[in-house]
Amino acid sequence: MDSRRLLRTSATALAAAGLILSGCSGGSDAAASRTTAAARQASPSSSSSSPAASSAALKKFYGQKLTWRDCGVTGFQCATLRAPLDYAKPDGEQIDLAVSRVAATGPGKRLGSLLVNPGGPGGSAVGYLQGYAGVGYPAPVRARYDMVAVDPRGVARSEPVECLTGPQMDTFTQVDQTPDDAAEINALSAAFKDFSAGCAKKSRAILPHVSTVETARDMDILRAVLGDEKLTYVGASYGTFLGATYAELFPDRVGRLVLDGAMDPSLPAIDLNRDQTAGFETSFRAFAADCVTKPDCPLGTGSVDAAGEALKKFFRDVDAKPVPTGESRALGESLATTGVIAAMYDEGAWPQLREALTQAIGGEGSGLLALADSYYEREADGTYANLMFANAAVNCLDLPAAYRGPADAAKAVPSFEKASPVFGRGLAWAALNCTSWPTPPTGGPHRITAEGAAPILVVGTTRDPATPYKWARSLAGQLSSGTLLTYEGDGHTAYGRGSDCVDTAINTYLLDGTPPAEGKRCS
């Protein structure tokens, strides 16, 4: 697996979240406004005034000194950033956040720090920095910036949210997400309830404090501690929502922000999940159009529609009779669907998907299982990274649940199936996961304008499966200083995916602050 696959085909760039992860949902503009107002009130670095007591309590965080140490990864240093667990109680408990950096390589004048986030929510920014961004971003950018990452609160090395054991996760990921009767509906609902109960049991203290607003405020502390007057940032997928939230809270602190594979913060969960479902259908049809031209296509060599019907039949077959994988877990419909969706994130994975589907249709499911495991960040020893746990915790806190219960999910199925005949039914039911979440949401959908911010570059890919292109158009239109850069292509996100046009435009913006002309399109 090449280093960029951390961003491309694994779930770290999932954004709104599909399949089991699905958890974004709607709320109200009033709820979002209350959250934003509270965040600004307590921050000494925001554009609004703040009470003296709150300002004084936060000064110790903004004035802290990082102690850098060797990470055990050549060229990288690590440190621990302190932040208040609850920004409403800055004198209360603190949280430790993992930070890593690699120094600017030169030549040229150092431009400061460039913070990166790969998305999720739940993706390890530190892992992304050390595994790809710190060595794989374009050399001219790495020459001028110290590359920096912080694992968001509740993620990876930053006091991670925990919910289920490895064996429990194995069971959870195999639950039937296309229930055919009341018993299967009850089983799916019970699985989500058990997941939520596990999170409450193991992570009760941190669950109310992993919102995107709080993580954005942590980023402002890090900006100040690093000595940067403005934040320079590249966020992918969910990382675009994090970056836009930062701009909303601290417009006067915005430096150069790249939001790649943008989310639309104005949408309620039902729309986010349905739009993403349509995005996966668009990506599948692009895969199918390529596949049917090849003599070894496991979905036939006819039309794209026929390929979709062939895949749906395969899903029905493994739902009725899972196929062996060479280990204790058989490949049923849920894991098979996850494996296919994992390959939609990067067209470079299409050959692997063709091979895996060929094997699975022939009765051997290890290839699709491996793709599903990469999506879930399951290790060979049966343990899981905390990606899935953090993903649900952040999504269910940021926005209220998509449904009040299973009856709402059942009513939504037809509209999801219209968005995607192949994936719609399963993704409609997957959006049930926040219904039983133990912590009430603190945010809601709202437009982000970030009035007064410096130019912000929003990047959208026309056939992006996870963050549909129309989300990028919407976010760029909401931001008072937003500029849209369009990549006409496949896969999730655009920077570093092989388009010289995209990379040159983003590099130019990062290096001299000049965004591309409005309406610029690349291929």
Side-chain angles (χ1 to χ4, degrees), residues 280 283-284 287 340-346 350 353 423 465 491-492:
F280 283 116
S283 184
F284 169 74
F287 161 75
V340 173
I341 281 180
M344 294 297 99
Y345 281 78
D346 177 14
W350 290 357
L353 176 58
F423 304 115
H492 186 39

Side-chain angles (χ1 to χ4, degrees), residues 8-57:
R8 295 182 183 178
T9 63
S10 78
T12 42
L14 270 178
L19 215 65
I20 282 280
L21 315 190
S22 182
C24 284
S25 184
S28 68
D29 288 341
S33 298
R34 287 194 297 272
T35 302
T36 301
R40 284 184 170 174
Q41 186 180 36
S43 173
S45 294
S46 75
S47 56
S48 62
S49 60
S50 47
S54 296
S55 297

Side-chain angles (χ1 to χ4, degrees), residues 185-205:
I185 291 173
N186 290 337
L188 180 60
S189 297
F192 284 130
K193 288 178 181 178
D194 289 346
F195 185 101
S196 298
C199 299
K201 180 179 180 180
K202 295 188 175 185
S203 304
R204 185 175 298 278

Side-chain angles (χ1 to χ4, degrees), residues 206-285:
I206 196 173
L207 283 187
H209 302 294
V210 293
S211 71
T212 298
V213 165
E214 289 162 304
T215 294
R217 298 185 65 189
D218 296 339
M219 291 193 339
D220 195 57
I221 292 176
L222 179 58
R223 171 204 58 77
V225 171
L226 292 171
D228 294 314
E229 182 180 352
K230 308 277 187 178
L231 178 74
T232 300
Y233 172 82
V234 176
S237 198
Y238 160 79
T240 67
F241 178 48
L242 178 56
T245 299
Y246 181 91
E248 180 181 36
L249 296 173
F250 309 104
D252 56 329
R253 302 292 181 183
V254 169
R256 300 166 188 176
L257 265 59
V258 177
L259 308 181
D260 183 12
M263 290 186 64
D264 183 349
S266 71
L267 296 177
I270 190 69
D271 293 336
L272 283 170
N273 284 283
R274 194 160 38 217
D275 282 355
Q276 191 179 65
T277 298
F280 283 116
E281 181 72 16
T282 297
S283 184
F284 169 74
R285 292 183 70 83

Side-chain angles (χ1 to χ4, degrees), residues 79 81 96-100 115-118 123-127 129 148-153 155 158 215 218-219 222 242:
L81 180 76
D96 291 338
L97 306 174
V99 181
S100 185
L115 194 65
V116 297
N117 182 281
S124 171
V126 170
L129 175 74
V148 182
V150 54
D151 276 348
R153 51 178 57 210
V155 173
S158 293
T215 294
D218 296 339
M219 291 193 339
L222 179 58
L242 178 56

Side-chain angles (χ1 to χ4, degrees), residues 29 98 128 142 188 219 331 350 379 392 430 485 489 516:
D29 288 341
Y128 174 66
R142 291 184 289 111
L188 180 60
M219 291 193 339
L331 184 80
W350 290 357
E379 301 296 336
L485 172 64

